[in-house]
Amino acid sequence: MTKKERYSAFVDYFLESFPEPETELRYNNPFELLVAVVLSAQCTDVRINKVTPALFEKFPTAEFMATASFDELFELIRSVSYPNNKSKHLMGLSKMIMEDFGGEVPVKHEDLQKLPGVGRKTANVIVSVLYNQPAMAVDTHVFRVSKRLGLVTQTAKTPLEVEKQLVKNIPKEHIHKAHHWLILHGRYVCLARKPKCEECKITHFCRYFEKNTGIRNQN
């Protein structure tokens, strides 16, 4: 199976089976999504969704959160990973949004990365989810699944290398969806320690399955 055929099979399958994927983080506006994504770093979406209702009830916008104290935020997010740093990030990004961006979450990738706690991956998530821009956020699921499927080379050692290969080969109009396809497949089927190959519907183009079973993929 060629690289082009593998990518085509990947896109065709998910367009048919999961045409409108969405993030599992719960939010009501762009600011809430930004906060949820920042909090989700090295933490599960399930945990974040338990924390954010109370947080957003008290601080639903950057204007409200910019007035919050460290102790107020820490108390509300103390059960997530790295609550000290994330409390500082939320304070900082809220104030910057108010002072530099008129109270609105920036639209441009480079502006988003100016915010405290927002790196390339977080910025990719925001522009992809909110604006359907062709950005590929590479988390541990995307990194693992894209390699197992054979969409990217095993020599890709960094998230940026994986991102570049995926963006190059996935049709531009589907990149924002492919981000979710890879994450959700990794979260529920292609698990890190014990992938559920017996339940997987895409073994027919999976390099990992071919390698571990000896069953050659067919075009």
Side-chain angles (χ1 to χ4, degrees):
M1 178 175 279
T2 66
K3 179 188 292 186
K4 184 176 181 180
E5 290 169 338
R6 199 180 302 276
Y7 271 96
S8 180
F10 167 75
V11 172
D12 289 347
Y13 171 79
F14 281 104
L15 278 178
E16 176 68 25
S17 64
F18 204 1
E20 298 298 333
E22 297 179 347
T23 179
E24 293 188 317
L25 291 170
R26 297 172 190 157
Y27 67 98
N28 296 302
N29 57 55
F31 177 73
E32 289 187 359
L33 176 64
L34 175 62
V35 169
V37 176
V38 169
L39 291 177
S40 71
Q42 295 180 284
C43 199
T44 66
D45 287 1
V46 172
R47 167 55 55 189
I48 301 308
N49 287 336
K50 290 180 179 178
V51 167
T52 51
L55 178 66
F56 294 155
E57 182 178 3
K58 192 167 186 178
F59 306 112
T61 66
E63 182 178 8
F64 282 95
M65 195 170 286
T67 66
S69 69
F70 174 87
D71 290 341
E72 286 178 305
L73 291 174
F74 181 86
E75 187 61 31
L76 288 166
I77 69 167
R78 64 186 307 159
S79 64
V80 309
S81 59
Y82 308 107
N84 278 303
N85 285 339
K86 290 178 181 178
S87 294
K88 294 174 184 176
H89 291 331
L90 296 188
M91 293 174 67
L93 70 83
S94 300
K95 291 176 181 177
M96 184 175 287
I97 287 174
M98 292 305 300
E99 294 171 1
D100 297 347
F101 299 104
E104 301 293 333
V105 173
V107 176
K108 294 182 179 179
H109 198 279
E110 58 267 30
D111 287 337
L112 282 163
Q113 290 192 77
K114 296 175 183 177
L115 300 174
V118 179
R120 182 179 183 87
K121 183 180 73 173
T122 297
N124 279 343
V125 172
I126 299 303
V127 299
S128 171
V129 173
L130 291 180
Y131 311 117
N132 293 339
Q133 292 185 22
M136 176 61 67
V138 178
D139 68 355
T140 56
H141 296 304
V142 173
F143 192 88
R144 177 180 72 254
V145 174
S146 60
K147 282 194 167 189
R148 283 182 177 172
L149 291 177
L151 298 176
V152 302
T153 63
Q154 294 300 312
T155 57
K157 301 300 183 184
T158 67
L160 183 57
E161 289 177 297
V162 169
E163 176 189 334
K164 287 181 176 180
Q165 290 189 37
L166 290 172
V167 169
K168 179 181 178 180
N169 291 284
I170 296 172
K172 187 176 181 179
E173 65 271 22
H174 299 316
I175 291 174
H176 69 284
K177 294 183 179 183
H179 159 71
H180 296 301
W181 291 337
L182 290 165
I183 286 177
L184 296 174
H185 192 68
R187 188 172 290 166
Y188 297 110
V189 181
C190 195
L191 309 183
R193 294 186 179 180
K194 192 176 181 181
K196 301 177 181 179
C197 295
E198 69 282 358
E199 298 179 18
C200 183
K201 305 299 183 183
I202 57 175
T203 55
H204 59 288
F205 63 83
C206 177
R207 184 167 287 166
Y208 176 91
F209 181 79
E210 179 179 342
K211 179 181 178 180
N212 285 275
T213 65
I215 300 175
R216 189 172 181 79
N217 295 145
Q218 299 297 316
N219 291 354

